[in-house]
């Protein structure tokens, strides 16, 4: 006969879950930013660089922080230059979401599960 004891520390479970979800959110935010910037207009690179500076991965919020970001984003009818980014367009987050949403879910789930 074999005897053994199992100790389950229930008080640590919420902290572990919170940490795993936080890591999943950070990975998701990073991927969303990367994929969205693949559709953002580029001229000098300031728009994309502003998103890298202004976004804090893990918060669930992606930010393009230039005076003209809103104007470019909400005016997809503009004739965006394709010289530096052939996929440049307005509403670039939605363009990325329509193409990569399933991947985003997978990436977030994988990161969360790996940290549980």
């Amino acid at each position: 006969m074999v005897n053994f004891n199992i100790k389950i520390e229930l008080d640590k479970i919420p902290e572990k879950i919170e940490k795993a979800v936080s890591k999943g959110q950070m990975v998701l935010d990073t991927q969303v930013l990367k994929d969205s910037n693949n559709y953002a207009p580029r001229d000098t690179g300031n728009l994309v660089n502003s998103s890298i500076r202004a976004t804090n991965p893990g918060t669930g919020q992606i930010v393009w922080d230039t005076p003209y970001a809103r104007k470019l984003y909400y005016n997809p009818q503009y004739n965006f230059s394709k010289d530096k980014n052939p996929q440049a367009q307005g509403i670039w987050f939605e363009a990325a979401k329509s193409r990569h949403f399933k991947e985003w879910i997978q990436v977030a789930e994988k990161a969360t599960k790996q940290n549980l």
Side-chain angles (χ1 to χ4, degrees):
M1 180 158 104
V2 178
N3 290 325
F4 59 91
N5 291 325
I6 297 175
K7 183 179 178 183
I8 300 174
E9 297 176 333
L10 296 175
D11 58 323
K12 293 188 179 188
I13 291 174
E15 180 183 326
K16 182 93 171 158
I17 291 171
E18 186 176 320
K19 185 178 177 182
V21 169
S22 178
K23 182 64 175 177
Q25 185 68 58
M26 185 176 299
V27 170
L28 174 62
D29 292 352
T30 302
Q31 191 65 48
V32 168
L33 180 63
K34 178 184 166 202
D35 291 339
S36 296
N37 277 334
N38 285 332
Y39 300 95
R42 285 197 185 95
D43 182 22
T44 63
N46 285 338
L47 180 65
V48 170
N49 289 339
S50 80
S51 70
I52 295 166
R53 282 190 311 271
T55 298
N56 184 11
T59 63
Q61 193 172 33
I62 309 299
V63 178
W64 286 269
D65 188 24
T66 64
Y68 50 85
R70 177 180 291 276
K71 181 179 177 182
L72 293 179
Y73 188 83
Y74 288 109
N75 286 288
Q77 75 277 6
Y78 286 167
N79 186 18
F80 293 105
S81 170
K82 307 286 188 185
D83 293 344
K84 295 183 181 176
N85 181 7
Q87 299 182 94
Q89 57 189 285
I91 314 178
W92 50 85
F93 164 76
E94 292 296 334
K97 181 180 168 187
S98 72
R99 291 168 180 89
H100 301 285
F101 186 74
K102 287 181 183 178
E103 296 166 35
W104 294 350
I105 298 298
Q106 292 169 347
V107 118
E109 285 178 349
K110 182 178 177 184
T112 302
K113 287 178 183 176
Q114 285 177 338
N115 287 279
L116 282 176

